[in-house]
């Protein structure tokens, strides 16, 4: 069916079934407390990609499409503002106009690394550009 809501698991266990070509449906994931499902249908305005069946009695929280969209949109806008604010203070990027800087802000991925983690190795290809926040 076409998705009209997203679900969050409060209690219980649910099996996620997916049809596989030339095979019977298989369980691809087991959902439990804190997991969400149904979001892909809302994000991409597409039919459900899997079937979810309660394995045990469950309590689920349901969030409608409009509320979900509002929350996702607000979170994305806040993330964009934070990244843009940070990028405005990076001297290397000072010559960029607002549009160019926002393009970078939208593409940024924040990584938190533990002390001692190898980030780059001399001689490796340069596939990433790092900014230290």
């Amino acid at each position: 069916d076409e998705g009209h809501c997203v679900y969050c698991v409060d209690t219980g266990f649910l099996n996620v079934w997916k049809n596989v070509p030339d095979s019977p449906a298989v369980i691809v994931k087991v959902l439990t407390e804190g997991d969400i499902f149904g979001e892909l249908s809302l994000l991409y305005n597409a039919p459900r990609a899997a079937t979810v069946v309660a394995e045990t009695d469950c309590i689920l929280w349901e969030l409608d499409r409009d509320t979900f969209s509002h929350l996702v949109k607000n979170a994305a806008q806040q993330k964009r503002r934070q990244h843009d604010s940070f990028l405005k203070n990076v001297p290397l990027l000072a010559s960029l106009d607002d549009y160019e800087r926002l393009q970078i802000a939208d593409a940024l991925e924040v990584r938190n690394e533990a002390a001692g983690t190898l980030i780059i190795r001399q001689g490796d290809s340069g596939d990433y550009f790092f900014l230290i926040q």
Side-chain angles (χ1 to χ4, degrees), residues 5-11 35-37 59-63:
C5 56
V6 62
Y7 299 92
C8 180
V9 181
D10 188 349
T11 62
D35 287 332
I36 64 167
F37 62 96
I59 297 176
L60 305 174
W61 294 80
E62 180 181 295
L63 191 60

Side-chain angles (χ1 to χ4, degrees), residues 116-133:
T117 300
L118 175 67
I119 308 300
I120 61 173
R121 182 186 312 274
Q122 183 177 348
D124 285 353
S125 63
D127 297 330
Y128 296 95
F129 175 74
F130 292 94
L131 300 167
I132 300 173
Q133 190 175 11

Side-chain angles (χ1 to χ4, degrees), residues 81-94 101 131-132:
R81 282 192 301 272
Q82 289 173 336
H83 288 176
D84 185 47
S85 176
F86 167 70
L87 293 173
K88 284 180 180 178
N89 296 312
V90 176
L92 180 66
L93 305 177
R101 195 179 54 255
L131 300 167
I132 300 173

